[in-house]
Amino acid sequence: MDKLFNLKAFHESTTKELDVTKDRVRNLIGTSNWGEDGRYKEYILRNIIRKFIPSNLKIGTGFIVKNENELYKCSSQIDILIFDSSYPILFSEGDFFIVSPNSVKAIIEVKTNIENQSLHEAVEKINKNISFINDHSVFAGIFSFEGYPGNNVTEENLKQKLISINESNKRVNHICLNKDIFIKFWPTLSKYSVYRINNLSFSYFISNLVYSVTKQNMQNESDLWFPINKESEKLFDIHLGGNDDR
């Protein structure tokens, strides 16, 4: 049967949708209200992700709390928090939630321009929250709308920013630097792979998220979510060394 659809174009449309809406607030209120501009970008990304994740999951922003050795602890605020709604929710108001660690499926830090806002600080924050959750299977991502154009994407430029002072084996595992550059952590190989997949980085980030948070086996459907072989688009690997068996 002839293919009457274009999966690559479909996934590129996710990037286009985010790209054309990301600056609407900034265009109206200018650059003096970066906080509101950032919250708007979190909002539009949450709305896109909400269209793809299974119905048993909720998505919003908020905190994770836990009892550790009879001391109650709270995570830092998480830009995008995805959790299993079959677990009890400690607190909810609109898209704001406070949940326990066992329910958490994904945490995402959202940045307008990760190059200007410090990739290393975002890595540190995510890694700290992963350790707080203490779950090896959690999707932990950094999503940047812009940053690291052209020749700025080099192994030398990225390696130290991806190495965390947190020596735990739990680390940020998916990053998009912009609409073209996608980074994935391979735990058994203890390395990050950096790919240039033009106009597909946003989509691949979301597709990897869907794979991570879905209970059902999706291996036989992978071509629907990943329209190109990203390995042929790899720029380089960043090897971290040591054992990282997450």
Side-chain angles (χ1 to χ4, degrees):
M1 181 183 294
D2 292 337
K3 288 187 177 180
L4 301 179
F5 48 87
N6 187 330
L7 281 172
K8 184 170 180 285
F10 168 76
H11 285 284
E12 287 175 337
S13 71
T14 299
T15 295
K16 291 176 183 176
E17 185 174 353
L18 285 165
D19 209 30
V20 299
T21 58
K22 67 182 175 63
D23 290 329
R24 282 180 174 170
V25 167
R26 187 190 303 180
N27 290 338
L28 289 171
I29 66 175
T31 59
S32 59
N33 295 280
W34 289 112
E36 291 304 319
D37 181 62
R39 278 185 283 275
Y40 170 70
K41 286 182 169 63
E42 294 169 22
Y43 169 80
I44 62 172
L45 180 57
R46 283 200 302 269
N47 280 349
I48 291 287
I49 293 172
R50 187 177 282 116
K51 297 175 182 179
F52 294 102
I53 59 175
S55 59
N56 67 299
L57 302 178
K58 284 188 176 293
I59 181 170
T61 183
F63 296 88
I64 306 163
V65 297
K66 68 177 180 179
N67 183 349
E68 188 175 87
N69 299 322
E70 298 185 355
L71 292 174
Y72 286 96
K73 297 183 178 180
C74 179
S75 70
S76 58
Q77 184 161 7
I78 296 165
D79 293 339
I80 294 182
L81 175 65
I82 299 175
F83 62 95
D84 187 338
S85 62
S86 66
Y87 283 81
I89 302 170
L90 290 166
F91 179 86
S92 68
E93 188 67 48
D95 280 345
F96 178 82
F97 301 97
I98 301 176
V99 300
S100 57
N102 287 340
S103 68
V104 177
K105 297 299 179 185
I107 57 174
I108 300 169
E109 185 82 358
V110 182
K111 297 295 182 183
T112 296
N113 186 320
I114 194 64
E115 193 168 13
N116 294 339
Q117 296 172 280
S118 178
L119 174 58
H120 186 67
E121 288 181 11
V123 167
E124 290 293 326
K125 181 181 177 183
I126 283 284
N127 286 356
K128 186 175 180 180
N129 280 331
I130 300 168
S131 294
F132 184 89
I133 299 167
N134 197 30
D135 184 345
H136 293 184
S137 64
V138 168
F139 178 97
I142 297 172
F143 187 102
S144 176
F145 284 84
E146 303 168 13
Y148 290 91
N151 294 333
N152 287 4
V153 181
T154 65
E155 182 177 357
E156 181 181 2
N157 204 9
L158 293 178
K159 184 170 185 177
Q160 291 305 316
K161 296 176 175 65
L162 292 174
I163 296 176
S164 173
I165 59 173
N166 179 358
E167 296 299 329
S168 166
N169 62 357
K170 304 170 185 68
R171 37 176 110 243
V172 58
N173 43 50
H174 296 85
I175 303 170
C176 64
L177 297 181
N178 53 51
K179 65 184 179 65
D180 300 323
I181 303 298
F182 175 71
I183 302 174
K184 184 177 176 69
F185 179 63
W186 302 99
T188 58
L189 300 174
S190 192
K191 71 175 185 178
Y192 285 99
S193 293
V194 182
Y195 306 93
R196 184 183 299 279
I197 45 177
N198 292 338
N199 296 312
L200 286 169
S201 175
F202 294 171
S203 176
Y204 266 62
F205 182 94
I206 293 170
S207 292
N208 275 273
L209 168 64
V210 171
Y211 250 61
S212 176
V213 301
T214 301
K215 293 179 181 178
Q216 288 75 17
N217 188 335
M218 297 171 60
Q219 290 297 328
N220 64 338
E221 300 176 356
S222 62
D223 58 330
L224 297 176
W225 294 93
F226 305 102
I228 65 169
N229 176 14
K230 70 180 184 306
E231 295 305 315
S232 64
E233 310 299 326
K234 185 191 294 185
L235 294 177
F236 51 84
D237 290 323
I238 296 175
H239 294 272
L240 303 183
N243 294 321
D244 194 339
D245 194 23
R246 185 167 67 83

